[in-house]
Amino acid sequence: MPHFRERASTGATTMTEDRYDWRTIQDRWLPEWEKLDPFRAGQRGPDAERRYALDMFPYPSGDLHMGHAEAFAIGDVIARHWFQQGYDVLHPIGWDSFGLPAENAAIKRNSNPAEWTYANIETQADSFRRYAISFDWSHRLHTSDPGYYRWTQWLFLQLHERGLAYRKASQVNWCPKDQTVLANEQVVGGACERCGTPVTKRELTQWYFRITQYAERLLDDMAQLEGRWPDRVLTMQRNWIGRSRGAQVDFAVEGRDEPVTVFTTRPDTLYGATFFVVAADSRLAQELCAPERRADFEAYREQVGRLTEIDRLAEGREKTGVPLGRHAINPVNGERIPIWAADYVLADYGTGAIMAVPAHDQRDLDFARTFGLPVRVVVDTGEPDPAETWTATSGDGVLVNSGPLDGLRKEAAIAAIVAELEAKGGGHGSLNYRLRDWLVSRQRYWGAPIPIVHCPVDGEVRVPDEQLPVRLPELRGADLAPKGVSPLAAATDWVRTTCPRCGGPAERDTDTMDTFVDSSWYFLRYPSVDRDDVAIDPEATKRWAPVDSYTGGAEHAILHLLYSRFITKALHDLGHVDFVEPFATLHNQGQVINQGKSMSKSLGNGVDLGAELETHGVDAIRLTMLFAGPPEEDVDWADVSPTGSGKFLARAWRVARDVTTAPGTDPGAGDAALRATTHRAVAEIGSLVEAFRFNVAVARLMELVNATRKAIDSGPGAGDPAVREAAEAVAVMLSLFAPYCAEDMWAALGHEPTVALAGWPAVDPALLVQETVTAVVQVAGKVRARLDVPPDVTEDALRELALADPGVVRALGDRAIRTVVVRPPRLVNVVPA
RNA sequence: GCCCCGGUGGCCCAACCGGCAGAGGCAGGCCCCUUAAAAGGGUCGCAGUGCGGGUUCGAAUCCCGCCCGGGGCACCA
């Protein structure tokens, strides 16, 4: 007989169905939750310990997809677990709503990007609600709101004031398809990170953030992230920052007053430098080129400029270059070496110039081979002669052909030469970084305008805070089409303005900021979303930040996470936050794939989230995502069974329905075995969830449901108080994974909503102690007997018992005993002679 | 080429610091319930842990060398 009951407070619904029907249950609880709004931050008062749970906010492209379903399910388990544990939780949501797709959609539909953007946001918000993510909807933001980008502009100005935002002309990455410049981090394998188009170089004046000034701290502060962020992310960031230790060495150049400085990691090989190379696209190359080489050089430079990054980095490509008709002087031996321009030397790494030591650097050797330049070995590593094998030697060895360095080993030689250079003033030891400054200007419309006015009198002038936001003009359709200059430049009424300093006519900066600027500080804005007079409220920030747990995809390992760390440090230095790392722990989830491949239109293996939810219901999909395997591994949708998840939910639900005792029944008198199972499960599931082992936690929950079912059918029966205790524990724990089903169970058990705030079940330690454990007795490593022993059995007692066991005696036969390994209380291994 | 992670029943996955290889699920077989089917309940596991060696009383677990899959880095001086 099903257990019927009418709930007093919410009244209207009577649960009469006796079959698990997820559709009815979803329809019943979604409106209830809307009314209760149970996940508001701050509801537990200032004395409750706080937690900040954050998911990487979505880009509003259409509706949510399978990837969102997994990522947000994971983040939700963490947040809901914290709610159950009684923490005051901030679990906000927002949208990264500036960006190119909206612009492209607007061009196609002859509309403004806002229309498409905000329609998609509403769609996704509805889907999130239905998907039952425990968001605090009162802490919500959209980066494209003037109320948000006003503060993104404020951030820019803060950085500008400290010299951390500046403009410079240089060779920059250009995406011909998107018609905009790109940051280094947004060029992946020589192609545009967004659209895959091969990137070319252009000489342009652009805005940069001085992230390189933080290189050392970005590296050092990783110590506090060790063990709390995935190792691979830390490794990738370390590689990206790319610190290398070496020396700067000054080379005099014939016919030039100033010397040219090079960076090298191998100052010990200075005597082996046989030529000198400057980056073909550098200003230095321009300047050093002798008149009679000018024509050749210009031709070469043009050829280099046409190359895409992909071409330039092509495997096995021959080295190219031209001599500049000038010579540099090796500071240690006075040798005249020719200066070349080549594209294998990069203008923006080190000083854009190198000393080439072909014997000990493969790239220099390749170049020497192509152009017939001399090779001189200065470190004898015992390897074959590079001039014959065309393989550079880079191991340790003894210096030769190196004057005073001869006979020293590599390390000693480096120390000696650095000391000598420093003494004579021709150079010094130094660190160099691969990290470049962050190029933040974009020649596109749908982003935060750069809040700078260009005045013919005053130059670059910051827009005063009280004039923020600098709002985007209303442009639509074809006005937004990419044309190589920002669409804002065409909005002449908008561009024309007055100088905030002198009041004379001036022009607005027409670029917008990289959308990664928007997302590099949004987690700092959440606690202060209700403040329109300040970006970051100190009180709210103190209460909630930094983020305790950040969940999202590994694709942001460098870009978003590095930028966010940088901005946090900068804001720390500016006195706005009192911490230097924004995300205390980070978890990457895997991808949702199908049949071994990532889902894509061209493969035709896409799975539609909406359709899956329509077939199986929210809970079954959430549970399937979490049960599929470790969260950081990919979920292959072809390998998992949402139907199976649904069956488990129905099974759990029926257990709650079968309970016949009244709410509040004291479990003390209940079946001891089931109680022990329940308490052990609660303890174990708690620690599994904390350890991010959701798939195992779900498995334990299934075990508990199975044990409860058995107790009802063939044990103490549905009227046993332990059955109620078990069913209630299941409801509370299940609420992390399948909130609708759990809520319905909770109601069936006679409780008021919401189970989400019911509190994690208390574990009675007395119920966890086992009266006996099974000890295994092996003979020569094979199990020959099992003994029931007290958990605190002594080594001697266990040995006695084991050796007396008939099975052991039989297995031993007449062999003598060599040793007996005893590991109380679980194992004995008898080793025969 | 270098670095990191993984490989366990037909499939997805467990097995804490070396100690009974199997927790959970999917698929499948059988049984009960049913006029029947579905739903439900029960029950069934000879895979020795990618391959080869080593350490150990004992190895999925530790070490060495391979194979396969995934990821990262790769003209950064």
Side-chain angles (χ1 to χ4, degrees):
Chain A
M1 181 68 185
H3 184 75
F4 293 2
R5 106 178 324 270
E6 196 155 36
R7 285 161 310 116
S9 70
T10 51
T13 325
T14 308
M15 295 187 293
T16 53
E17 73 275 7
D18 53 7
R19 186 163 309 194
Y20 175 72
D21 176 22
W22 59 262
R23 213 177 287 271
T24 310
I25 292 172
Q26 277 180 216
D27 290 346
R28 178 180 302 144
W29 296 112
L30 186 53
E32 291 289 326
W33 293 339
E34 295 283 302
K35 267 184 265 168
L36 283 171
D37 191 15
F39 304 116
R40 280 186 325 276
Q43 60 179 305
R44 293 201 155 123
D47 295 333
E49 201 180 325
R50 66 91 186 170
R51 285 284 187 278
Y52 186 176
L54 187 65
D55 312 277
M56 288 185 187
F57 66 166
Y59 179 80
S61 56
D63 203 347
L64 301 181
H65 53 65
M66 297 296 281
H68 293 121
E70 191 200 6
F72 285 92
I74 289 168
D76 201 39
V77 172
I78 300 161
R80 284 178 177 272
H81 187 228
W82 284 341
F83 277 112
Q84 293 290 20
Q85 290 176 302
Y87 293 114
D88 198 5
V89 181
L90 174 63
H91 187 202
I93 178 64
W95 278 267
D96 189 13
S97 51
F98 268 141
L100 267 185
E103 235 171 291
N104 295 336
I107 293 164
K108 207 151 99 191
R109 303 141 153 249
N110 193 31
S111 64
N112 182 273
E115 293 170 24
W116 182 88
T117 301
Y118 287 92
N120 285 342
I121 287 175
E122 285 321 306
T123 301
Q124 293 194 349
D126 283 349
S127 295
F128 275 134
R129 286 181 207 272
R130 188 172 57 137
Y131 199 58
I133 303 297
S134 60
F135 289 137
D136 172 356
W137 290 92
S138 70
H139 287 83
R140 169 178 177 173
L141 59 81
H142 317 121
T143 59
S144 56
D145 288 354
Y148 182 88
Y149 73 71
R150 168 202 174 143
W151 298 116
T152 305
Q153 292 171 336
W154 166 87
L155 170 67
F156 181 99
L157 295 173
Q158 290 282 306
L159 297 178
H160 191 267
E161 216 166 314
R162 305 298 171 106
L164 292 170
Y166 67 98
R167 227 153 62 117
K168 73 170 176 195
S170 87
Q171 293 284 328
V172 298
N173 302 302
W174 175 262
C175 174
K177 170 136 186 294
D178 292 340
Q179 294 277 303
T180 186
V181 298
L182 298 171
N184 261 298
E185 290 79 9
Q186 289 155 24
V187 179
V188 178
C192 172
E193 178 249 349
R194 271 203 66 259
C195 67
T197 308
V199 163
T200 59
K201 292 275 184 181
R202 277 198 177 186
E203 168 94 16
L204 286 171
T205 298
Q206 297 287 311
W207 288 100
Y208 291 83
F209 283 171
R210 213 179 287 281
I211 189 170
T212 52
Q213 192 168 310
Y214 285 78
E216 196 65 33
R217 286 166 64 189
L218 286 166
L219 228 34
D220 291 346
D221 290 348
M222 271 185 228
Q224 49 182 288
L225 270 22
E226 210 74 55
R228 318 191 65 184
W229 280 36
D231 282 343
R232 21 188 315 261
V233 175
L234 296 177
T235 304
M236 284 168 73
Q237 293 215 354
R238 237 173 244 123
N239 288 342
W240 187 262
I241 296 166
R243 172 167 57 191
S244 48
R245 192 173 298 280
Q248 302 218 347
V249 184
D250 298 335
F251 279 67
V253 171
E254 287 179 357
R256 190 181 197 258
D257 296 336
E258 288 288 296
V260 176
T261 304
V262 302
F263 174 74
T264 175
T265 55
R266 293 292 307 274
D268 56 315
T269 63
L270 193 45
Y271 285 86
T274 54
F275 57 101
F276 194 98
V277 189
V278 297
D281 54 355
S282 66
R283 208 149 312 152
L284 187 62
Q286 294 267 20
E287 186 214 311
L288 291 180
C289 185
E292 68 274 18
R293 308 296 322 181
R294 181 64 61 183
D296 278 358
F297 169 70
E298 291 298 343
Y300 176 68
R301 204 170 61 89
E302 229 166 89
Q303 178 198 323
V304 169
R306 275 197 305 272
L307 280 182
T308 65
E309 279 295 284
I310 290 179
D311 297 333
R312 202 180 64 77
L313 298 174
E315 194 91 22
R317 180 172 163 256
E318 278 269 297
K319 289 276 182 288
T320 60
V322 291
L324 292 180
R326 293 279 283 271
H327 289 81
I329 308 299
N330 188 326
V332 287
N333 58 12
E335 228 169 57
R336 281 180 87 234
I337 55 178
I339 302 177
W340 288 66
D343 68 354
Y344 82 95
V345 171
L346 308 175
D348 54 358
Y349 182 77
T351 61
I354 63 157
M355 62 175 205
V357 184
H360 306 295
D361 183 290
Q362 191 60 47
R363 296 154 299 181
D364 296 343
L365 186 60
D366 293 343
F367 193 84
R369 187 184 193 181
T370 304
F371 295 103
L373 296 161
V375 177
R376 183 192 307 143
V377 172
V378 289
V379 184
D380 180 7
T381 65
E383 293 161 90
D385 185 1
E388 272 158 33
T389 59
W390 299 112
T391 301
T393 63
S394 57
D396 196 3
V398 178
L399 277 280
V400 294
N401 298 322
S402 296
L405 300 180
D406 281 355
L408 294 176
R409 297 198 78 84
K410 183 168 154 183
E411 281 310 313
I414 290 175
I417 192 78
V418 169
E420 191 195 325
L421 289 168
E422 285 175 356
K424 294 200 326 201
H428 53 90
S430 83
L431 294 175
N432 203 37
Y433 299 89
R434 203 183 86 116
L435 183 70
R436 314 291 154 82
D437 276 341
W438 173 16
L439 200 176
V440 296
S441 33
R442 295 292 179 273
Q443 289 70 50
R444 297 299 303 234
Y445 169 78
W446 193 232
I450 288 174
I452 293 286
V453 167
H454 300 279
C455 170
V457 179
D458 296 308
E460 271 170 29
V461 180
R462 287 189 286 276
V463 174
D465 281 353
E466 62 275 14
Q467 288 178 27
L468 298 182
V470 175
R471 284 176 185 267
L472 285 169
E474 276 278 325
L475 300 183
R476 4 180 17 94
D479 291 344
L480 304 171
K483 43 176 94 58
V485 290
S486 174
L488 293 181
T492 45
D493 288 349
W494 181 87
V495 171
R496 214 175 300 129
T497 186
T498 53
C499 171
R501 196 169 301 161
C502 69
E507 294 194 341
R508 293 195 183 282
D509 196 284
T510 57
D511 284 349
T512 51
M513 279 183 254
D514 181 4
T515 55
F516 279 104
V517 178
D518 307 332
S519 57
S520 67
W521 76 285
Y522 79 107
F523 44 88
L524 297 174
R525 179 62 182 163
Y526 276 129
S528 312
V529 276
D530 55 340
R531 295 289 300 269
D532 55 11
D533 55 334
V534 63
I536 298 166
D537 172 60
E539 284 306 303
T541 305
K542 209 174 189 58
R543 172 66 178 157
W544 296 109
V547 173
D548 293 291
S549 172
Y550 198 29
T551 310
E555 65 274 15
H556 292 111
I558 298 176
L559 289 159
H560 164 59
L561 291 169
L562 190 68
Y563 295 150
S564 299
R565 294 184 60 223
F566 157 60
I567 293 294
T568 301
K569 289 175 202 305
L571 287 170
H572 169 267
D573 294 352
L574 291 162
H576 296 291
V577 299
D578 59 6
F579 46 87
V580 294
E581 285 295 336
F583 314 120
T585 61
L586 171 71
H587 292 99
N588 290 140
Q589 84 281 351
Q591 311 263 78
V592 185
I593 61 174
N594 192 19
Q595 295 160 322
K597 295 177 209 71
S598 57
M599 296 187 206
S600 78
K601 276 211 183 83
S602 58
L603 288 169
N605 67 341
V607 178
D608 181 60
L609 176 61
E612 293 296 303
L613 292 172
E614 216 21 65
T615 310
H616 302 285
V618 167
D619 283 347
I621 297 305
R622 289 176 53 127
L623 193 70
T624 302
M625 292 289 184
L626 296 162
F627 184 53
E632 66 278 9
E633 275 169 34
D634 289 352
V635 175
D636 193 330
W637 204 245
D639 290 338
V640 295
S641 172
T643 309
S645 301
K647 282 187 183 178
F648 162 69
L649 293 172
R651 198 171 155 78
W653 185 85
R654 284 193 305 268
V655 161
R657 288 281 157 153
D658 287 351
V659 169
T660 55
T661 48
T665 301
D666 176 16
D671 180 69
L674 181 58
R675 293 206 71 204
T677 303
T678 303
H679 283 253
R680 212 165 292 141
V682 171
E684 210 173 343
I685 291 168
S687 40
L688 285 165
V689 168
E690 268 161 42
F692 262 67
R693 309 198 52 208
F694 308 132
N695 55 327
V696 187
V698 171
R700 294 285 173 272
L701 198 51
M702 288 172 167
E703 279 182 88
L704 179 57
V705 169
N706 291 346
T708 314
R709 176 84 266 154
K710 231 173 203 156
I712 294 170
D713 287 352
S714 53
D720 192 284
V723 169
R724 165 167 285 275
E725 184 183 35
E728 291 186 344
V730 169
V732 173
M733 295 191 287
L734 187 63
S735 75
L736 315 194
F737 310 103
Y740 289 104
C741 178
E743 192 73 81
D744 217 60
M745 289 175 67
W746 195 239
L749 288 162
H751 298 293
E752 297 296 319
T754 171
V755 68
L757 301 182
W760 195 255
V763 174
D764 180 354
L767 290 169
L768 298 183
V769 299
Q770 291 171 300
E771 279 167 28
T772 61
V773 295
T774 304
V776 172
V777 187
Q778 302 174 330
V779 176
K782 288 207 171 67
V783 180
R784 298 297 186 184
R786 283 161 215 279
L787 307 168
D788 283 336
V789 297
D792 56 352
V793 67
T794 64
E795 189 175 326
D796 289 342
L798 185 56
R799 182 186 292 113
E800 296 274 302
L801 280 170
L803 293 176
D805 186 275
V808 174
V809 173
R810 202 177 322 121
L812 208 49
D814 49 10
R815 287 178 293 179
I817 296 171
R818 183 143 62 103
T819 28
V820 182
V821 180
V822 186
R823 292 280 178 277
R826 293 235 106 99
L827 179 125
V828 179
N829 190 9
V830 183
V831 187

